[in-house]
Amino acid sequence: MPQDPMDFEWSYWIEWGRERILWLLAGHLLVSQMSRLLVEKYKPWCLMVYGMAACWLLLGIKGFAVILLHAAISFAVAQFQLSLLTWLCSLILLSTLRIPAVEETKRKWYDTENEYYLLLFTVSVRCLFCTSFSLEYCWHAPSQKSSHSFPWMLAYVFYYPTFHNGPLVNFDEFSKQMRRQEAFNMKTNLSILVVGIIRIFFWWCLAELMIHLMYIHALYSSALPLESASYWALGGLALAQVLFFYVKYLILYGVPGLLLQMDGLKPPALPCCVSLMHSFTKMWRSFDVGLHRFLVRYIYVPMGGSQSSLLGTLLSTALTFAFVSYWHGGQSYLWYWGALNWLGVIVENGTKRILSISLIQDLI
């Protein structure tokens, strides 16, 4: 039975996974386990060299140079230890992905659009990693300088399991856990690997069944069936789409998450089932946990967050969603999506504040 080809993200990553990425991830696993077994002290540098080699192999010398250049510029700007300057640098680097002349130049480096898109996705995710390192560098004490060196930045930026699509791990967490040396237990690691592979295989089978049998995205691409459907049917289609999105990210984040565990790191929690969600706030906290931690640590809290005045909370929340919309591409529909999510979070938090008033609680 033919599959629904309209979900670009699923088709794209499955194709790349089968061709090269899964093999490169298997190579990372082998290097990681050998370095943990033989040279635990040098594990970060072994993984850094492997990640750089994998990047060179997949994106070519020019793609590798772009990522290395972004890291070098971010590190140079971080030397001023000014958070605002670091953010300005990050936004400028991110904006270069949307300059038509630059886009056309990068397209000419590759034979296919898929190869160009791999560079685009990789650089956009690396921008977040460079931002995390640079801000931590701005905030660190002089005594911690050795743990915020350029080699550590490269080890973080070129860490391969999270290289192309995340999940996002903040530098402070990555550095702490990567430095921690633990006793290597082959039996324990093997059991984690086997159980993880079984779970991911089950999720992949479920996703493939949905793609081959439900045709959710094909229905959404045509106005005619949507116009003739009842409201109940439309609601069912919407639920089916978000459930597929959930299963898809169990796999896309589950594979690198398993490798993080094998490396002795703690990955961000996998997405919670969307059927259990009943609020915008919980959705943002528990679907993409790594991105949520990044946004809270580097945007929401520094801007005042919930500890500031009502206007300050509104502003810090608005800036958080504005960055998310811009990072995802900055198209008009993304700004609408970000604004609606911001409105949902504000209404929920406002309602909670009202309901926490003792007079209202007595009335209830």
Side-chain angles (χ1 to χ4, degrees):
M1 184 177 291
Q3 72 172 37
D4 180 353
M6 300 306 293
D7 189 278
F8 169 77
E9 189 176 34
W10 177 254
S11 304
Y12 183 84
W13 289 117
I14 287 297
E15 183 182 341
W16 268 110
R18 285 172 178 161
E19 285 184 3
R20 294 191 189 177
I21 291 178
L22 277 179
W23 298 105
L24 289 172
L25 289 172
H28 170 93
L29 179 62
L30 181 62
V31 170
S32 166
Q33 298 311 293
M34 292 301 292
S35 60
R36 289 190 75 185
L37 183 63
L38 302 174
V39 284
E40 175 76 20
K41 184 179 177 182
Y42 301 103
K43 180 181 72 172
W45 317 122
C46 295
L47 298 183
M48 178 191 76
V49 171
Y50 180 85
M52 294 173 89
C55 172
W56 192 318
L57 179 67
L58 216 53
L59 299 176
I61 179 63
K62 292 178 180 176
F64 171 79
V66 166
I67 295 170
L68 191 60
L69 181 64
H70 276 230
I73 292 171
S74 297
F75 185 78
V77 172
Q79 303 307 301
F80 294 98
Q81 296 192 296
L82 297 171
S83 298
L84 187 59
L85 191 60
T86 291
W87 265 116
L88 185 61
C89 171
S90 298
L91 292 173
I92 290 171
L93 289 174
L94 200 55
S95 69
T96 60
L97 302 179
R98 299 170 181 83
I99 299 173
V102 176
E103 285 182 317
E104 285 307 309
T105 301
K106 289 177 181 175
R107 273 191 169 93
K108 291 174 184 175
W109 296 347
Y110 301 105
D111 297 326
T112 65
E113 281 286 290
N114 274 1
E115 290 174 294
Y116 164 71
Y117 282 130
L118 185 65
L119 175 66
L120 186 67
F121 296 148
T122 303
V123 173
S124 64
V125 174
R126 293 306 94 198
C127 278
L128 296 185
F129 279 70
C130 288
T131 304
S132 175
F133 175 89
S134 298
L135 289 171
E136 295 293 342
Y137 187 94
C138 291
W139 299 343
H140 83 284
S143 58
Q144 298 173 301
K145 193 170 183 180
S146 62
S147 63
H148 293 74
S149 61
F150 189 60
W152 266 105
M153 184 183 198
L154 294 181
Y156 175 57
V157 169
F158 284 98
Y159 181 67
Y160 195 69
T162 62
F163 192 67
H164 298 294
N165 195 43
L168 187 55
V169 180
N170 292 341
F171 178 72
D172 61 321
E173 299 167 13
F174 175 85
S175 176
K176 254 182 239 174
Q177 294 174 33
M178 189 62 82
R179 287 171 177 280
R180 188 178 59 221
Q181 295 188 15
E182 298 176 335
F184 181 77
N185 190 316
M186 182 66 79
K187 188 177 178 182
T188 302
N189 264 23
L190 189 59
S191 64
I192 291 171
L193 181 64
V194 171
V195 171
I197 288 173
I198 291 170
R199 290 175 70 195
I200 291 165
F201 180 72
F202 171 75
W203 295 330
W204 176 76
C205 290
L206 182 58
E208 284 293 316
L209 278 174
M210 295 173 82
I211 279 284
H212 281 83
L213 299 178
M214 298 178 72
Y215 295 92
I216 314 155
H217 304 91
L219 287 169
Y220 269 110
S221 66
S222 175
L224 188 62
L226 296 178
E227 288 171 354
S228 59
S230 67
Y231 290 129
W232 281 104
L234 290 173
L237 280 171
L239 179 60
Q241 188 178 44
V242 294
L243 284 171
F244 177 76
F245 189 77
Y246 159 66
V247 174
K248 175 170 67 178
Y249 269 86
L250 283 179
I251 299 162
L252 295 181
Y253 282 175
V255 173
L258 176 59
L259 291 175
L260 280 160
Q261 282 184 282
M262 297 296 291
D263 291 346
L265 310 181
K266 185 179 179 182
L270 290 175
C272 281
C273 180
V274 290
S275 296
L276 303 176
M277 304 291 179
H278 62 273
S279 76
F280 284 95
T281 308
K282 186 177 179 184
M283 186 71 171
W284 278 98
R285 282 179 181 167
S286 54
F287 191 85
D288 191 336
V289 175
L291 180 60
H292 175 259
R293 288 175 182 168
F294 176 92
L295 297 171
V296 169
R297 181 168 177 80
Y298 301 121
I299 303 177
Y300 186 69
V301 170
M303 289 303 300
S306 58
Q307 303 304 313
S308 61
S309 63
L310 177 60
L311 188 60
T313 303
L314 291 172
L315 178 62
S316 54
T317 310
L319 285 173
T320 301
F321 281 109
F323 175 76
V324 171
S325 301
Y326 183 69
W327 178 72
H328 275 89
Q331 291 88 350
S332 57
Y333 72 88
L334 288 168
W335 292 112
Y336 296 139
W337 166 74
L340 288 170
N341 275 277
W342 173 77
L343 186 62
V345 168
I346 291 303
V347 169
E348 282 178 1
N349 289 333
T351 304
K352 282 180 185 176
R353 287 192 180 191
I354 292 169
L355 293 177
S356 66
I357 299 170
S358 56
L359 179 61
I360 301 296
Q361 288 182 341
D362 292 341
L363 288 171
I364 292 172

PDB file of all heavy atoms in Angstrom, residues 232-261:
ATOM      1  N   TRP A 232     -17.046  17.096  13.576  1.00  0.00           N
ATOM      2  CA  TRP A 232     -16.487  15.959  14.303  1.00  0.00           C
ATOM      3  C   TRP A 232     -15.338  15.327  13.516  1.00  0.00           C
ATOM      4  O   TRP A 232     -14.306  14.963  14.084  1.00  0.00           O
ATOM      5  CB  TRP A 232     -17.579  14.913  14.570  1.00  0.00           C
ATOM      6  CG  TRP A 232     -18.464  15.274  15.716  1.00  0.00           C
ATOM      7  CD1 TRP A 232     -19.733  15.753  15.651  1.00  0.00           C
ATOM      8  CD2 TRP A 232     -18.139  15.195  17.112  1.00  0.00           C
ATOM      9  NE1 TRP A 232     -20.243  15.990  16.910  1.00  0.00           N
ATOM     10  CE2 TRP A 232     -19.282  15.652  17.828  1.00  0.00           C
ATOM     11  CE3 TRP A 232     -17.014  14.800  17.824  1.00  0.00           C
ATOM     12  CZ2 TRP A 232     -19.321  15.705  19.208  1.00  0.00           C
ATOM     13  CZ3 TRP A 232     -17.059  14.844  19.219  1.00  0.00           C
ATOM     14  CH2 TRP A 232     -18.195  15.303  19.888  1.00  0.00           C
ATOM     15  N   ALA A 233     -15.551  15.197  12.194  1.00  0.00           N
ATOM     16  CA  ALA A 233     -14.499  14.615  11.350  1.00  0.00           C
ATOM     17  C   ALA A 233     -13.264  15.515  11.331  1.00  0.00           C
ATOM     18  O   ALA A 233     -12.124  15.034  11.388  1.00  0.00           O
ATOM     19  CB  ALA A 233     -15.025  14.403   9.933  1.00  0.00           C
ATOM     20  N   LEU A 234     -13.485  16.841  11.251  1.00  0.00           N
ATOM     21  CA  LEU A 234     -12.354  17.777  11.266  1.00  0.00           C
ATOM     22  C   LEU A 234     -11.593  17.694  12.584  1.00  0.00           C
ATOM     23  O   LEU A 234     -10.357  17.743  12.606  1.00  0.00           O
ATOM     24  CB  LEU A 234     -12.851  19.203  11.026  1.00  0.00           C
ATOM     25  CG  LEU A 234     -13.351  19.521   9.616  1.00  0.00           C
ATOM     26  CD1 LEU A 234     -13.964  20.917   9.576  1.00  0.00           C
ATOM     27  CD2 LEU A 234     -12.220  19.419   8.600  1.00  0.00           C
ATOM     28  N   GLY A 235     -12.344  17.570  13.667  1.00  0.00           N
ATOM     29  CA  GLY A 235     -11.700  17.422  14.978  1.00  0.00           C
ATOM     30  C   GLY A 235     -10.875  16.145  15.055  1.00  0.00           C
ATOM     31  O   GLY A 235      -9.763  16.143  15.595  1.00  0.00           O
ATOM     32  N   GLY A 236     -11.417  15.063  14.490  1.00  0.00           N
ATOM     33  CA  GLY A 236     -10.682  13.800  14.466  1.00  0.00           C
ATOM     34  C   GLY A 236      -9.418  13.887  13.634  1.00  0.00           C
ATOM     35  O   GLY A 236      -8.367  13.359  14.019  1.00  0.00           O
ATOM     36  N   LEU A 237      -9.506  14.589  12.489  1.00  0.00           N
ATOM     37  CA  LEU A 237      -8.320  14.778  11.642  1.00  0.00           C
ATOM     38  C   LEU A 237      -7.241  15.589  12.363  1.00  0.00           C
ATOM     39  O   LEU A 237      -6.053  15.281  12.275  1.00  0.00           O
ATOM     40  CB  LEU A 237      -8.710  15.489  10.338  1.00  0.00           C
ATOM     41  CG  LEU A 237      -9.326  14.625   9.236  1.00  0.00           C
ATOM     42  CD1 LEU A 237      -9.862  15.505   8.109  1.00  0.00           C
ATOM     43  CD2 LEU A 237      -8.295  13.650   8.693  1.00  0.00           C
ATOM     44  N   ALA A 238      -7.682  16.634  13.058  1.00  0.00           N
ATOM     45  CA  ALA A 238      -6.725  17.472  13.796  1.00  0.00           C
ATOM     46  C   ALA A 238      -6.030  16.655  14.886  1.00  0.00           C
ATOM     47  O   ALA A 238      -4.810  16.739  15.063  1.00  0.00           O
ATOM     48  CB  ALA A 238      -7.444  18.674  14.403  1.00  0.00           C
ATOM     49  N   LEU A 239      -6.807  15.841  15.602  1.00  0.00           N
ATOM     50  CA  LEU A 239      -6.233  15.002  16.660  1.00  0.00           C
ATOM     51  C   LEU A 239      -5.269  13.974  16.063  1.00  0.00           C
ATOM     52  O   LEU A 239      -4.173  13.747  16.594  1.00  0.00           O
ATOM     53  CB  LEU A 239      -7.344  14.288  17.435  1.00  0.00           C
ATOM     54  CG  LEU A 239      -6.880  13.344  18.559  1.00  0.00           C
ATOM     55  CD1 LEU A 239      -6.073  14.098  19.597  1.00  0.00           C
ATOM     56  CD2 LEU A 239      -8.066  12.640  19.200  1.00  0.00           C
ATOM     57  N   ALA A 240      -5.649  13.379  14.923  1.00  0.00           N
ATOM     58  CA  ALA A 240      -4.786  12.395  14.272  1.00  0.00           C
ATOM     59  C   ALA A 240      -3.467  13.027  13.839  1.00  0.00           C
ATOM     60  O   ALA A 240      -2.401  12.417  13.962  1.00  0.00           O
ATOM     61  CB  ALA A 240      -5.505  11.783  13.066  1.00  0.00           C
ATOM     62  N   GLN A 241      -3.532  14.262  13.361  1.00  0.00           N
ATOM     63  CA  GLN A 241      -2.302  14.926  12.911  1.00  0.00           C
ATOM     64  C   GLN A 241      -1.344  15.186  14.065  1.00  0.00           C
ATOM     65  O   GLN A 241      -0.141  14.926  13.955  1.00  0.00           O
ATOM     66  CB  GLN A 241      -2.629  16.227  12.198  1.00  0.00           C
ATOM     67  CG  GLN A 241      -1.402  16.852  11.553  1.00  0.00           C
ATOM     68  CD  GLN A 241      -1.708  18.118  10.798  1.00  0.00           C
ATOM     69  OE1 GLN A 241      -2.449  18.961  11.284  1.00  0.00           O
ATOM     70  NE2 GLN A 241      -1.137  18.262   9.614  1.00  0.00           N
ATOM     71  N   VAL A 242      -1.883  15.706  15.172  1.00  0.00           N
ATOM     72  CA  VAL A 242      -0.983  15.994  16.299  1.00  0.00           C
ATOM     73  C   VAL A 242      -0.473  14.709  16.947  1.00  0.00           C
ATOM     74  O   VAL A 242       0.645  14.668  17.467  1.00  0.00           O
ATOM     75  CB  VAL A 242      -1.640  16.919  17.356  1.00  0.00           C
ATOM     76  CG1 VAL A 242      -1.893  18.297  16.783  1.00  0.00           C
ATOM     77  CG2 VAL A 242      -2.908  16.326  17.925  1.00  0.00           C
ATOM     78  N   LEU A 243      -1.278  13.622  16.891  1.00  0.00           N
ATOM     79  CA  LEU A 243      -0.802  12.341  17.419  1.00  0.00           C
ATOM     80  C   LEU A 243       0.337  11.789  16.563  1.00  0.00           C
ATOM     81  O   LEU A 243       1.315  11.237  17.076  1.00  0.00           O
ATOM     82  CB  LEU A 243      -1.954  11.327  17.490  1.00  0.00           C
ATOM     83  CG  LEU A 243      -2.932  11.524  18.647  1.00  0.00           C
ATOM     84  CD1 LEU A 243      -4.140  10.613  18.494  1.00  0.00           C
ATOM     85  CD2 LEU A 243      -2.252  11.265  19.996  1.00  0.00           C
ATOM     86  N   PHE A 244       0.220  11.949  15.238  1.00  0.00           N
ATOM     87  CA  PHE A 244       1.313  11.513  14.380  1.00  0.00           C
ATOM     88  C   PHE A 244       2.565  12.364  14.640  1.00  0.00           C
ATOM     89  O   PHE A 244       3.680  11.837  14.670  1.00  0.00           O
ATOM     90  CB  PHE A 244       0.938  11.617  12.901  1.00  0.00           C
ATOM     91  CG  PHE A 244       2.078  11.250  11.988  1.00  0.00           C
ATOM     92  CD1 PHE A 244       2.428   9.917  11.800  1.00  0.00           C
ATOM     93  CD2 PHE A 244       2.839  12.226  11.353  1.00  0.00           C
ATOM     94  CE1 PHE A 244       3.501   9.566  10.991  1.00  0.00           C
ATOM     95  CE2 PHE A 244       3.913  11.879  10.542  1.00  0.00           C
ATOM     96  CZ  PHE A 244       4.243  10.551  10.358  1.00  0.00           C
ATOM     97  N   PHE A 245       2.375  13.667  14.838  1.00  0.00           N
ATOM     98  CA  PHE A 245       3.493  14.559  15.142  1.00  0.00           C
ATOM     99  C   PHE A 245       4.198  14.102  16.416  1.00  0.00           C
ATOM    100  O   PHE A 245       5.434  14.102  16.500  1.00  0.00           O
ATOM    101  CB  PHE A 245       2.967  15.983  15.305  1.00  0.00           C
ATOM    102  CG  PHE A 245       4.037  17.029  15.403  1.00  0.00           C
ATOM    103  CD1 PHE A 245       4.724  17.461  14.281  1.00  0.00           C
ATOM    104  CD2 PHE A 245       4.371  17.600  16.628  1.00  0.00           C
ATOM    105  CE1 PHE A 245       5.723  18.423  14.361  1.00  0.00           C
ATOM    106  CE2 PHE A 245       5.360  18.562  16.727  1.00  0.00           C
ATOM    107  CZ  PHE A 245       6.035  18.976  15.586  1.00  0.00           C
ATOM    108  N   TYR A 246       3.407  13.669  17.395  1.00  0.00           N
ATOM    109  CA  TYR A 246       3.959  13.173  18.664  1.00  0.00           C
ATOM    110  C   TYR A 246       4.779  11.899  18.450  1.00  0.00           C
ATOM    111  O   TYR A 246       5.926  11.797  18.914  1.00  0.00           O
ATOM    112  CB  TYR A 246       2.807  12.927  19.639  1.00  0.00           C
ATOM    113  CG  TYR A 246       3.105  11.977  20.769  1.00  0.00           C
ATOM    114  CD1 TYR A 246       4.040  12.301  21.742  1.00  0.00           C
ATOM    115  CD2 TYR A 246       2.439  10.750  20.862  1.00  0.00           C
ATOM    116  CE1 TYR A 246       4.317  11.420  22.786  1.00  0.00           C
ATOM    117  CE2 TYR A 246       2.701   9.873  21.898  1.00  0.00           C
ATOM    118  CZ  TYR A 246       3.648  10.212  22.857  1.00  0.00           C
ATOM    119  OH  TYR A 246       3.913   9.342  23.879  1.00  0.00           O
ATOM    120  N   VAL A 247       4.215  10.930  17.717  1.00  0.00           N
ATOM    121  CA  VAL A 247       4.917   9.668  17.465  1.00  0.00           C
ATOM    122  C   VAL A 247       6.192   9.921  16.657  1.00  0.00           C
ATOM    123  O   VAL A 247       7.240   9.317  16.913  1.00  0.00           O
ATOM    124  CB  VAL A 247       3.988   8.668  16.736  1.00  0.00           C
ATOM    125  CG1 VAL A 247       4.760   7.405  16.339  1.00  0.00           C
ATOM    126  CG2 VAL A 247       2.811   8.291  17.621  1.00  0.00           C
ATOM    127  N   LYS A 248       6.102  10.833  15.690  1.00  0.00           N
ATOM    128  CA  LYS A 248       7.263  11.177  14.863  1.00  0.00           C
ATOM    129  C   LYS A 248       8.420  11.684  15.723  1.00  0.00           C
ATOM    130  O   LYS A 248       9.572  11.268  15.541  1.00  0.00           O
ATOM    131  CB  LYS A 248       6.841  12.232  13.834  1.00  0.00           C
ATOM    132  CG  LYS A 248       7.974  12.768  12.988  1.00  0.00           C
ATOM    133  CD  LYS A 248       7.438  13.615  11.841  1.00  0.00           C
ATOM    134  CE  LYS A 248       6.776  14.888  12.315  1.00  0.00           C
ATOM    135  NZ  LYS A 248       6.317  15.718  11.181  1.00  0.00           N
ATOM    136  N   TYR A 249       8.114  12.542  16.698  1.00  0.00           N
ATOM    137  CA  TYR A 249       9.192  13.094  17.525  1.00  0.00           C
ATOM    138  C   TYR A 249       9.652  12.141  18.615  1.00  0.00           C
ATOM    139  O   TYR A 249      10.751  12.308  19.145  1.00  0.00           O
ATOM    140  CB  TYR A 249       8.801  14.466  18.073  1.00  0.00           C
ATOM    141  CG  TYR A 249       9.265  15.536  17.115  1.00  0.00           C
ATOM    142  CD1 TYR A 249       8.476  15.913  16.036  1.00  0.00           C
ATOM    143  CD2 TYR A 249      10.532  16.085  17.215  1.00  0.00           C
ATOM    144  CE1 TYR A 249       8.929  16.843  15.109  1.00  0.00           C
ATOM    145  CE2 TYR A 249      10.993  17.019  16.301  1.00  0.00           C
ATOM    146  CZ  TYR A 249      10.181  17.392  15.249  1.00  0.00           C
ATOM    147  OH  TYR A 249      10.661  18.288  14.336  1.00  0.00           O
ATOM    148  N   LEU A 250       8.837  11.142  18.933  1.00  0.00           N
ATOM    149  CA  LEU A 250       9.356  10.078  19.794  1.00  0.00           C
ATOM    150  C   LEU A 250      10.540   9.392  19.111  1.00  0.00           C
ATOM    151  O   LEU A 250      11.516   9.001  19.757  1.00  0.00           O
ATOM    152  CB  LEU A 250       8.265   9.042  20.080  1.00  0.00           C
ATOM    153  CG  LEU A 250       7.196   9.396  21.104  1.00  0.00           C
ATOM    154  CD1 LEU A 250       6.199   8.252  21.230  1.00  0.00           C
ATOM    155  CD2 LEU A 250       7.796   9.716  22.469  1.00  0.00           C
ATOM    156  N   ILE A 251      10.459   9.270  17.787  1.00  0.00           N
ATOM    157  CA  ILE A 251      11.531   8.618  17.026  1.00  0.00           C
ATOM    158  C   ILE A 251      12.683   9.585  16.768  1.00  0.00           C
ATOM    159  O   ILE A 251      13.848   9.269  17.016  1.00  0.00           O
ATOM    160  CB  ILE A 251      10.975   8.070  15.696  1.00  0.00           C
ATOM    161  CG1 ILE A 251       9.888   7.045  15.976  1.00  0.00           C
ATOM    162  CG2 ILE A 251      12.086   7.452  14.853  1.00  0.00           C
ATOM    163  CD1 ILE A 251       8.990   6.753  14.805  1.00  0.00           C
ATOM    164  N   LEU A 252      12.351  10.792  16.260  1.00  0.00           N
ATOM    165  CA  LEU A 252      13.395  11.755  15.909  1.00  0.00           C
ATOM    166  C   LEU A 252      14.219  12.186  17.116  1.00  0.00           C
ATOM    167  O   LEU A 252      15.405  12.500  16.989  1.00  0.00           O
ATOM    168  CB  LEU A 252      12.778  12.982  15.233  1.00  0.00           C
ATOM    169  CG  LEU A 252      12.114  12.739  13.870  1.00  0.00           C
ATOM    170  CD1 LEU A 252      11.571  14.041  13.296  1.00  0.00           C
ATOM    171  CD2 LEU A 252      13.080  12.098  12.887  1.00  0.00           C
ATOM    172  N   TYR A 253      13.600  12.236  18.303  1.00  0.00           N
ATOM    173  CA  TYR A 253      14.339  12.546  19.525  1.00  0.00           C
ATOM    174  C   TYR A 253      14.740  11.282  20.294  1.00  0.00           C
ATOM    175  O   TYR A 253      15.661  11.320  21.117  1.00  0.00           O
ATOM    176  CB  TYR A 253      13.505  13.446  20.438  1.00  0.00           C
ATOM    177  CG  TYR A 253      13.482  14.908  20.013  1.00  0.00           C
ATOM    178  CD1 TYR A 253      12.677  15.829  20.680  1.00  0.00           C
ATOM    179  CD2 TYR A 253      14.253  15.361  18.947  1.00  0.00           C
ATOM    180  CE1 TYR A 253      12.653  17.171  20.294  1.00  0.00           C
ATOM    181  CE2 TYR A 253      14.238  16.684  18.558  1.00  0.00           C
ATOM    182  CZ  TYR A 253      13.436  17.593  19.232  1.00  0.00           C
ATOM    183  OH  TYR A 253      13.414  18.913  18.850  1.00  0.00           O
ATOM    184  N   GLY A 254      14.035  10.174  20.031  1.00  0.00           N
ATOM    185  CA  GLY A 254      14.341   8.936  20.750  1.00  0.00           C
ATOM    186  C   GLY A 254      15.681   8.342  20.356  1.00  0.00           C
ATOM    187  O   GLY A 254      16.416   7.837  21.211  1.00  0.00           O
ATOM    188  N   VAL A 255      16.014   8.408  19.054  1.00  0.00           N
ATOM    189  CA  VAL A 255      17.285   7.845  18.584  1.00  0.00           C
ATOM    190  C   VAL A 255      18.476   8.596  19.182  1.00  0.00           C
ATOM    191  O   VAL A 255      19.348   7.979  19.809  1.00  0.00           O
ATOM    192  CB  VAL A 255      17.337   7.839  17.038  1.00  0.00           C
ATOM    193  CG1 VAL A 255      18.727   7.421  16.558  1.00  0.00           C
ATOM    194  CG2 VAL A 255      16.283   6.901  16.471  1.00  0.00           C
ATOM    195  N   PRO A 256      18.559   9.941  19.035  1.00  0.00           N
ATOM    196  CA  PRO A 256      19.686  10.635  19.680  1.00  0.00           C
ATOM    197  C   PRO A 256      19.642  10.539  21.204  1.00  0.00           C
ATOM    198  O   PRO A 256      20.688  10.488  21.857  1.00  0.00           O
ATOM    199  CB  PRO A 256      19.537  12.092  19.217  1.00  0.00           C
ATOM    200  CG  PRO A 256      18.152  12.222  18.700  1.00  0.00           C
ATOM    201  CD  PRO A 256      17.747  10.873  18.217  1.00  0.00           C
ATOM    202  N   GLY A 257      18.421  10.488  21.776  1.00  0.00           N
ATOM    203  CA  GLY A 257      18.304  10.351  23.231  1.00  0.00           C
ATOM    204  C   GLY A 257      18.919   9.046  23.731  1.00  0.00           C
ATOM    205  O   GLY A 257      19.576   9.014  24.778  1.00  0.00           O
ATOM    206  N   LEU A 258      18.733   7.983  22.958  1.00  0.00           N
ATOM    207  CA  LEU A 258      19.318   6.689  23.318  1.00  0.00           C
ATOM    208  C   LEU A 258      20.842   6.762  23.271  1.00  0.00           C
ATOM    209  O   LEU A 258      21.533   6.249  24.162  1.00  0.00           O
ATOM    210  CB  LEU A 258      18.803   5.613  22.358  1.00  0.00           C
ATOM    211  CG  LEU A 258      19.391   4.207  22.521  1.00  0.00           C
ATOM    212  CD1 LEU A 258      19.123   3.664  23.923  1.00  0.00           C
ATOM    213  CD2 LEU A 258      18.813   3.265  21.467  1.00  0.00           C
ATOM    214  N   LEU A 259      21.387   7.440  22.262  1.00  0.00           N
ATOM    215  CA  LEU A 259      22.842   7.578  22.158  1.00  0.00           C
ATOM    216  C   LEU A 259      23.408   8.450  23.283  1.00  0.00           C
ATOM    217  O   LEU A 259      24.510   8.196  23.777  1.00  0.00           O
ATOM    218  CB  LEU A 259      23.220   8.153  20.796  1.00  0.00           C
ATOM    219  CG  LEU A 259      22.982   7.215  19.604  1.00  0.00           C
ATOM    220  CD1 LEU A 259      23.274   7.917  18.303  1.00  0.00           C
ATOM    221  CD2 LEU A 259      23.827   5.960  19.721  1.00  0.00           C
ATOM    222  N   LEU A 260      22.652   9.468  23.674  1.00  0.00           N
ATOM    223  CA  LEU A 260      23.074  10.278  24.823  1.00  0.00           C
ATOM    224  C   LEU A 260      23.205   9.409  26.066  1.00  0.00           C
ATOM    225  O   LEU A 260      24.170   9.523  26.837  1.00  0.00           O
ATOM    226  CB  LEU A 260      22.059  11.398  25.064  1.00  0.00           C
ATOM    227  CG  LEU A 260      22.174  12.635  24.165  1.00  0.00           C
ATOM    228  CD1 LEU A 260      20.864  13.408  24.157  1.00  0.00           C
ATOM    229  CD2 LEU A 260      23.282  13.540  24.639  1.00  0.00           C
ATOM    230  N   GLN A 261      22.213   8.527  26.281  1.00  0.00           N
ATOM    231  CA  GLN A 261      22.278   7.613  27.425  1.00  0.00           C
ATOM    232  C   GLN A 261      23.495   6.702  27.331  1.00  0.00           C
ATOM    233  O   GLN A 261      24.177   6.455  28.337  1.00  0.00           O
ATOM    234  CB  GLN A 261      21.014   6.750  27.471  1.00  0.00           C
ATOM    235  CG  GLN A 261      19.789   7.456  28.025  1.00  0.00           C
ATOM    236  CD  GLN A 261      18.614   6.488  28.124  1.00  0.00           C
ATOM    237  OE1 GLN A 261      17.965   6.186  27.130  1.00  0.00           O
ATOM    238  NE2 GLN A 261      18.368   6.003  29.314  1.00  0.00           N
TER     239      GLN A 261
END
